Amino acid sequence: MRRGLVFGKFMPLHRGHQLLIERALAEVDDLTIVVYDSEPTGDYPPMPIELRLRWLRELYPDVEAIVPVDDLEKDNPDKDDPRFARMYADGLRFLGQFDRIFTSEPGYEQFAHELGA
């Protein structure tokens, strides 16, 4: 069985996120979607994590694991720096092993490596 992971803030959830999730669903047997509890940046209105989880659960009712996770570096503008990859990976180890990580950002290679995917 191939396990996959899609992760993000989904603030707001948009068609690019949906394409990534749909690609993952087509390539793995079991998909986990992690939703980081972060604050919006820029001119976006507040988007509570409960709202973002509801969007995903309504669009993807067959995905059993849509998991909220606290973003430990939510106030850090450099949190996407590869030096934080191990910390973020360690925060997801409770979810088990993943074979594939799906992201639209090439900078997350270290994160995938830390998760063993």
Side-chain angles (χ1 to χ4, degrees):
M1 178 192 313
R2 291 176 303 182
R3 292 192 69 224
L5 172 68
V6 173
F7 61 96
K9 297 174 289 216
F10 307 104
M11 281 192 301
L13 178 65
H14 56 71
R15 189 65 183 133
H17 294 130
Q18 290 179 264
L19 288 171
L20 190 66
I21 292 167
E22 290 161 14
R23 171 79 183 261
L25 285 168
E27 294 188 18
V28 298
D29 304 302
D30 180 51
L31 181 65
T32 297
I33 302 173
V34 165
V35 182
Y36 281 105
D37 189 8
S38 297
E39 298 297 323
T41 57
D43 296 330
Y44 289 109
M47 289 177 221
I49 194 164
E50 296 81 11
L51 174 64
R52 293 177 277 139
L53 290 166
R54 189 177 78 227
W55 290 337
L56 288 161
R57 289 176 179 145
E58 287 175 1
L59 284 170
Y60 303 102
D62 293 335
V63 176
E64 293 181 21
I66 300 177
V67 182
V69 175
D70 188 37
D71 186 349
L72 300 175
E73 293 291 322
K74 66 179 140 196
D75 296 323
N76 184 345
D78 297 325
K79 67 182 173 186
D80 292 334
D81 187 299
R83 68 183 173 193
F84 293 105
R86 179 174 296 239
M87 181 196 67
Y88 277 99
D90 287 346
L92 299 184
R93 295 210 194 281
F94 74 97
L95 295 170
Q97 178 67 37
F98 294 100
D99 303 298
R100 303 277 313 269
I101 306 296
F102 296 86
T103 178
S104 61
E105 303 292 330
Y108 288 118
E109 287 181 30
Q110 184 64 33
F111 174 72
H113 175 74
E114 293 290 341
L115 282 173

